[in-house]
Amino acid sequence: MSGINKVILVGRLGKDPDIKTFENGVKKASFSLATSEIRKDKDGNRTEYTEWHNIICWRNLAENAEKYLNKGKMIYLEGKLRTRSWEDNGQKRYITEIDANTFTMLSTKSENEGGQAVVTQVQNVATATPTQQSAPEYACPPDETTDDLPF
């Protein structure tokens, strides 16, 4: 039996996506995503805790991130954990990232001019088995959909 590697996050972008285009034309977007939770301490004081996540997107999803995402935007994201390593001045370094395969842009009524809540989903469909040497091939569905949210 194989394992499951799935990450689901809802948070706000900490910076605009950084886009890199490789020699073969493949695009990679990387950005930070903040997730927060509020906890009460033993005295009943509410404290907000924020966790920062490194996100990467490839190909069409990277292009959509470049077009539609910017600092402060709230998104729902699905992907998988990836850890990579490299040598830096003889010292081995590691980073753990979330390799996104879908994201949904979320906004509140106050963020939209029309007063309607908007959810825009951008999803990847793998068309090739990814390897460590090459990034997965993705395709994306049609543009935005508008929906009234119950909250």
Side-chain angles (χ1 to χ4, degrees):
M1 180 175 169
S2 63
I4 297 173
N5 181 0
K6 182 165 185 154
V7 175
I8 299 173
L9 298 171
V10 175
R12 293 194 182 273
L13 271 72
K15 64 176 185 170
D16 290 347
D18 179 34
I19 307 299
K20 290 184 182 177
T21 304
F22 296 95
E23 291 177 7
N24 60 1
V26 172
K27 282 193 175 186
K28 175 186 174 186
S30 57
F31 54 91
S32 58
L33 188 74
T35 56
S36 299
E37 62 180 297
I38 297 175
R39 299 184 209 153
K40 287 186 181 180
D41 63 16
K42 61 182 178 181
D43 298 326
N45 299 321
R46 293 169 45 119
T47 306
E48 184 174 354
Y49 294 90
T50 302
E51 187 72 33
W52 289 93
H53 311 275
N54 298 310
I55 312 296
I56 58 170
C57 306
W58 293 95
R59 293 187 166 76
N60 292 344
L61 193 62
E63 291 175 11
N64 284 319
E66 180 180 27
K67 287 180 195 173
Y68 300 113
L69 298 183
N70 50 39
K71 181 179 178 177
K73 176 80 78 176
M74 181 170 275
I75 64 169
Y76 167 93
L77 180 134
E78 290 184 20
K80 51 184 119 180
L81 282 176
R82 298 262 190 237
T83 302
R84 59 184 174 92
S85 63
W86 69 96
E87 289 280 331
D88 184 23
N89 294 328
Q91 188 174 10
K92 195 155 190 168
R93 303 264 184 197
Y94 297 90
I95 188 168
T96 300
E97 302 166 314
I98 290 106
D99 187 353
N101 58 24
T102 183
F103 64 78
T104 303
M105 294 176 281
L106 306 174
S107 64
T108 62
K109 289 182 181 181
S110 63
E111 292 175 348
N112 293 310
E113 296 171 9
Q116 295 288 325
V118 175
V119 176
T120 303
Q121 184 172 11
V122 181
Q123 192 170 24
N124 293 329
V125 179
T127 58
T129 304
T131 64
Q132 283 188 322
Q133 288 76 28
S134 65
E137 185 75 39
Y138 294 115
C140 295
D143 287 338
E144 303 179 10
T145 58
T146 303
D147 192 11
D148 288 332
L149 297 177
F151 51 93

